[in-house]
């Protein structure tokens, strides 16, 4: 890896460890961090979430070598991609503390989304031979063709829930998702808040335009888009809807039990039920440019 060679040339000690699964990777990350090592995540948002979850709430420091298809957290943090620039940041950069999200016991760094975009993500994850620049557009078009809106209930900071019929709900800690879509332009990674973006009912013929507008954040001006903000969000739907986080499956959400106030113990990491999300302010140290 060119970055590793540049780090060694700059005087750093670089150790490469191979793991067989997420649990082992997280255990190794915590052990190395306890020894004072910086943990390097070379990959995309899923890799960052895997290792960031291990370090969140500790003094461990995460370094990032962007090498995935989406790289949305790297984009939000303004991380470089050129190997020389990446190595320079890793060698001389200062840790920046960012928020994470507790999603029914799972740690998320970027965003949780439940709806047609999660269905598209399922398709994208199964794509093996599609060129990377076409993976998300093609997966999105195919998912949209067979999708029907769901009725969501969204409760923010314990207030009475808002009921909306929508194609998707995105609960964002960072502004980008889906490989560069600026879905939540006002989201800040260190403000202790979650931005909730609801894409309501609209003609499917408008979706190509809405997706183009998401590159700049112009979609927020549309009447079909609703934005909420708070430190905690409880999300449920009137039918089974897939939920993804940072490019990986998180859970399925569904109706809240009749007469029961949604609570954390009703939202297991997998299965059907309401999903409870809470911001965890400044719980992860990342080598990144100052905010």
């Amino acid at each position: 890896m060119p970055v590793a060679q540049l780090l060694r040339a700059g005087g750093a000690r670089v150790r490469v460890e191979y793991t067989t699964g997420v649990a082992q990777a997280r255990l190794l990350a915590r052990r190395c961090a306890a020894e004072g090592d910086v943990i390097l995540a070379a990959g995309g948002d899923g890799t960052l979430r895997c290792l960031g979850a291990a370090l969140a709430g500790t003094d461990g420091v995460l370094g990032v070598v962007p090498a995935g298809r989406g790289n949305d957290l790297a984009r939000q943090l303004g991380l470089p991609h050129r190997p020389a620039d990446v190595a320079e940041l890793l060698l001389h950069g200062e840790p920046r503390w960012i928020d994470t999200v507790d999603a029914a016991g799972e740690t998320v760094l970027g965003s949780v989304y439940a709806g047609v975009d999660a269905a598209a993500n399922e398709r994208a994850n199964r794509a093996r031979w599609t060129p990377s620049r076409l993976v998300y557009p093609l997966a999105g078009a195919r998912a949209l063709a067979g999708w029907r809106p769901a009725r969501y209930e969204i409760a923010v900071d314990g207030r009475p829930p808002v009921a909306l019929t929508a194609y998707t709900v995105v609960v964002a800690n960072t502004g980008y998702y889906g490989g560069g879509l600026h879905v939540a332009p006002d989201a800040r990674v260190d403000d202790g808040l979650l931005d909730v973006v609801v894409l309501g009912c609209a003609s499917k013929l408008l979706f190509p335009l809405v997706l183009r507008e998401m590159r700049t954040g112009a979609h927020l001006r549309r009447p079909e888009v609703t934005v909420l903000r708070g430190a905690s969000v409880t999300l449920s739907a009137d039918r089974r809807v897939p939920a993804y986080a940072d490019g990986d499956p998180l859970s399925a959400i569904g109706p809240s039990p009749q007469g029961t106030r949604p609570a954390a113990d009703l939202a297991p990491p997998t299965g059907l039920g309401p999903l409870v999300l809470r911001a965890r302010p400044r719980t992860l140290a990342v080598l990144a440019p100052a905010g």
Side-chain angles (χ1 to χ4, degrees):
M1 184 172 66
V3 172
Q5 296 170 0
L6 291 166
L7 291 174
R8 290 189 177 102
R13 178 178 61 88
V14 179
R15 185 175 70 194
V16 178
E17 298 279 359
Y18 296 94
T19 61
T20 58
V22 170
Q24 184 185 2
R26 289 179 175 176
L27 180 63
L28 182 61
R30 284 191 289 267
R31 189 171 70 208
C32 292
E35 296 171 357
D37 295 332
V38 173
I39 309 304
L40 296 187
D45 294 302
T47 302
L48 269 61
R49 179 188 168 209
C50 170
L51 297 179
L55 302 180
T58 76
D59 294 329
V61 178
L62 182 68
V64 180
V65 181
R69 290 190 298 194
N71 298 318
D72 288 311
L73 179 61
R75 185 176 288 106
Q76 177 77 28
L77 294 175
L79 300 180
H81 284 74
R82 290 180 60 247
D85 296 333
V86 172
E88 176 69 19
L89 176 62
L90 296 177
L91 286 169
H92 305 294
E94 293 292 329
R96 176 184 175 189
W97 287 92
I98 68 171
D99 303 341
T100 61
V101 183
D102 180 281
E106 288 287 312
T107 296
V108 177
L109 306 188
S111 60
V112 173
Y113 38 102
V116 66
D117 42 6
N121 211 148
E122 288 180 336
R123 290 178 175 271
N125 284 355
R126 293 196 298 267
R128 291 294 178 263
W129 309 111
T130 306
S132 59
R133 64 185 178 85
L134 298 178
V135 167
Y136 288 109
L138 289 178
R142 290 167 180 163
L144 178 63
W147 192 259
R148 60 183 176 87
R151 186 72 171 173
Y152 295 89
E153 284 195 353
I154 309 160
V156 177
D157 288 343
R159 295 191 292 270
V162 176
L164 295 166
T165 301
Y167 282 93
T168 191
V169 177
V170 182
V171 182
N173 181 43
T174 64
Y176 293 95
Y177 89 143
L181 297 178
H182 209 182
V183 64
D186 297 325
R188 297 292 178 265
V189 76
D190 54 5
D191 63 358
L193 297 173
L194 303 172
D195 284 40
V196 184
V197 180
V198 185
L199 182 55
C201 284
S203 168
K204 290 184 179 181
L205 298 177
L206 279 177
F207 266 75
L209 176 58
V210 172
L211 287 175
R212 284 199 296 272
E213 292 175 343
M214 280 188 182
R215 294 288 172 183
T216 63
H219 63 290
L220 296 189
R221 295 197 292 265
R222 290 195 164 271
E224 300 89 354
V225 176
T226 300
V227 179
L228 307 167
R229 181 177 289 115
S232 67
V233 178
T234 299
L235 179 63
S236 61
D238 63 352
R239 61 182 171 88
R240 189 177 179 87
V241 175
Y244 264 58
D246 298 340
D248 290 325
L250 178 67
S251 67
I253 66 168
S256 298
Q258 284 291 330
T260 303
R261 183 178 180 84
D265 59 354
L266 299 177
T270 59
L272 188 65
L275 185 61
V276 180
L277 309 167
R278 293 186 178 89
R280 299 174 62 200
R282 306 198 179 204
T283 44
L284 178 63
V286 183
L287 290 174

